[in-house]
Every structure is written in structure tokens, then in C-alpha cells.
Amino acid sequence: MALTSSMNWGINLLISLTFLTVTELIGLSWVCFIYTIMSLASLAFVIMFIPETKGCSLEQISMELAKQKHVRTPLCGVSQRREKLVPVELARREKEQLY
């Protein structure tokens, strides 16, 4: 959550600092077009890669993600074992709840 918030503030700062300069260079309509393309690309990313978590608790989300064996990040091509990313305690809780 902290990373997302920091990225949001950083991008907002970048846009605030460069908006007037870029508008003078290429015009307002092109700047709005570029921002529209960036927004549509972000929307496509969210629809394609971010799972739906509406109505789920954090434990349920963690357990669903833990069922996958590997996390693949296509941007850097790195895969890690999922067990390292999700606490083992959550798996124990799920087993206890089943019995």
C-alpha cells in the first residue's frame, strides 16, 4: 500500500511539474491525448492482470494467491516461490478451519 501511495504522489508531482512546459511545446490537445492513452493502458492492465477481490478478506486473498505455485512478473522475467511470499501460518489456519 505504501508503494502504491508513493507512486501515486510521485506521478502526480511529475505531471504537475511538467504539464505547463509540455503544453507549451506540443499543445493542450496532444497533452490530453497522451494522458488519455496512458489512462487506457492503465485500465487495460488492471482488467487483464489484477484479480477481483471484492467482498474477500485479506486472509482469503492471501490463501487464493498462495494456491499458485509461482509468481511470474512479466516485466522483469523473475519468478519466485509463492511460499516465500505468503506466511505459512495462513495455510495452517485454513487446514484448521476445514476440520
Side-chain angles (χ1 to χ4, degrees):
M1 193 65 127
L3 177 64
T4 303
S5 182
S6 298
M7 289 294 293
N8 186 23
W9 279 94
I11 296 298
N12 286 335
L13 177 65
L14 181 67
I15 289 172
S16 298
L17 291 175
T18 61
F19 180 76
L20 293 176
T21 306
V22 174
T23 303
E24 289 176 2
L25 291 174
I26 62 174
L28 181 61
S29 60
W30 283 105
V31 171
C32 290
F33 179 72
I34 291 169
Y35 290 155
T36 301
I37 297 299
M38 290 170 37
S39 296
L40 291 175
S42 299
L43 179 64
F45 174 80
V46 168
I47 290 171
M48 292 171 59
F49 296 108
I50 306 298
E52 178 62 47
T53 58
K54 183 178 181 181
C56 297
S57 67
L58 290 176
E59 286 84 11
Q60 291 171 333
I61 295 169
S62 295
M63 294 309 294
E64 287 297 319
L65 293 175
K67 290 178 183 176
Q68 300 173 1
K69 293 295 182 191
H70 292 85
V71 176
R72 297 196 188 277
T73 52
L75 295 178
C76 59
V78 176
S79 66
Q80 298 176 346
R81 296 288 301 174
R82 173 58 77 177
E83 291 82 8
K84 293 180 182 177
L85 300 176
V86 178
V88 176
E89 184 63 31
L90 291 175
R92 289 183 190 143
R93 282 190 215 166
E94 183 183 81
K95 288 179 183 177
E96 289 173 1
Q97 289 175 357
L98 292 176
Y99 296 113

